[in-house]
Amino acid sequence: KPQQPSKPQQQPKSQPSNPKQAQPQSTPSEPPKKKAKENKELSPSELNAIKYPPISYKQISNSTSDKTDISVVVIGHVDSGKSTLMGHLLYDLGCIDKKVLQSCKKNYKKTGTSQFHYAWATDEGTDERERGVTVEVAYKSFTTKTKNVNAMDAPGHRDFIPSMIAGTSAADAAILVIDSGQNAFDHGFFKGGQTKEHAILAKTLGVKQIIVCINKLELFNWNKERFDYIKIQVHSFLTSIGFKDEDIFCIPISGLTGDNITHPITASTGS
């Protein structure tokens, strides 16, 4: 039989390669590197031009704490010792560094005395230190076992009543500082001083509780008769303008020596 022509052998079809494998992998292009900013120091004028947003006390207080927030304003006649009391209190509580206080004491000696170095811890303005009076309300804060306290040291001079009102309007309670000196108390309380006016403004602006600090009693050797005399006069006036008897607290103190501020008067200290 004639041989049939053989069929040409079919070559196996080549499997199409994986398009993903076939395509070359493209490497992502690296973003251009940014030039590092130079740490340029700002000039004093540039620093002063920076405007910082106001921060309320509630923003800086410990929001996770169970402590109560309270605002207290320190008021009273000029030169009654408000700033000295506030500075000594903050120092005893550890809110003012010892080096800062020593610096204040050293600088104040140049003026002839170092008795007001505690006041310089709160009166930080140049004008306040030169004149020896508080001009603007000084805001300081500290904590106790149960409270976050925002303390405000208000000016006592009659020329700065608007600043005093601004601070007192934000206060929950007040500390009324009384100079126990004979002439100083009479001038501040009886002869048109700021003691009564500050107390009336505090009551008008919503302050309900008031602590009366009868200051500078170390000059009278902590004489109880002097303390009782001032206490009766001030307590009677405060109740007459609307303060309740249970909301008035009178205590003898010395802002300069620190007695009865954070630690009680001992038997050897006072009578």
Side-chain angles (χ1 to χ4, degrees):
K1 295 182 180 179
Q3 295 182 354
Q4 295 181 354
S6 61
K7 295 182 179 180
Q9 294 181 357
Q10 295 181 353
Q11 296 180 355
K13 296 181 179 180
S14 59
Q15 297 291 333
S17 60
N18 191 347
K20 293 184 179 180
Q21 295 179 353
Q23 295 178 357
Q25 295 182 354
S26 60
T27 58
S29 60
E30 296 182 357
K33 295 183 179 180
K34 296 182 179 180
K35 293 183 179 180
K37 294 183 178 180
E38 297 180 358
N39 294 327
K40 180 183 177 182
E41 294 184 0
L42 298 177
S43 64
S45 59
E46 291 174 326
L47 288 172
N48 293 332
I50 298 176
K51 302 296 182 182
Y52 296 97
I55 301 175
S56 64
Y57 176 70
K58 290 184 179 180
Q59 289 177 307
I60 62 176
S61 62
N62 187 2
S63 59
T64 61
S65 173
D66 294 333
K67 296 181 180 181
T68 305
D69 293 337
I70 184 172
S71 295
V72 180
V73 63
V74 184
I75 58 177
H77 187 63
V78 63
D79 292 336
S80 59
K82 300 183 297 298
S83 297
T84 298
L85 166 62
M86 181 58 61
H88 208 141
L89 172 63
L90 293 172
Y91 175 71
D92 287 347
L93 293 174
C95 300
I96 297 177
D97 189 80
K98 188 175 182 179
K99 293 182 179 179
V100 175
L101 188 67
Q102 289 176 346
S103 177
C104 292
K105 191 172 184 178
K106 180 180 179 181
N107 292 330
Y108 208 94
K109 280 183 178 180
K110 298 177 182 178
T111 64
T113 178
S114 61
Q115 292 185 352
F116 299 100
H117 55 284
Y118 286 109
W120 273 31
T122 56
D123 293 340
E124 299 176 348
T126 304
D127 187 44
E128 291 178 318
R129 292 183 173 185
E130 289 179 352
R131 299 176 61 177
V133 294
T134 302
V135 176
E136 298 288 341
V137 178
Y139 297 89
K140 302 292 181 180
S141 61
F142 59 90
T143 60
T144 66
K145 293 181 180 180
T146 59
K147 291 179 174 61
N148 297 313
V149 183
N150 180 31
M152 298 169 285
D153 181 19
H157 199 281
R158 66 171 65 252
D159 291 346
F160 310 114
I161 282 291
S163 295
M164 178 268 173
I165 293 175
T168 307
S169 63
D172 303 305
I175 298 175
L176 178 62
V177 183
I178 306 290
D179 189 336
S180 61
Q182 182 67 47
N183 295 330
F185 173 70
D186 292 346
H187 185 73
F189 191 75
F190 294 114
K191 299 179 181 180
Q194 301 303 300
T195 303
K196 289 184 177 180
E197 183 177 359
H198 280 203
I200 294 172
L201 287 171
K203 181 59 181 175
T204 305
L205 293 170
V207 172
K208 295 181 178 179
Q209 293 183 315
I210 189 166
I211 300 173
V212 181
C213 289
I214 302 176
N215 193 22
K216 306 181 184 181
L217 271 175
E218 77 279 8
L219 302 177
F220 295 88
N221 196 27
W222 303 96
N223 185 275
K224 189 176 184 301
E225 293 181 0
R226 182 61 180 168
F227 170 76
D228 289 340
Y229 170 76
I230 297 175
K231 176 183 176 181
I232 292 171
Q233 298 291 333
V234 178
H235 190 281
S236 176
F237 172 74
L238 292 177
T239 54
S240 70
I241 62 175
F243 282 100
K244 295 181 180 180
D245 184 73
E246 60 269 22
D247 292 330
I248 303 172
F249 309 89
C250 297
I251 58 173
I253 67 160
S254 171
L256 183 61
T257 63
D259 291 314
N260 217 29
I261 297 179
T262 57
H263 56 275
I265 302 174
T266 61
S268 59
T269 303
S271 57

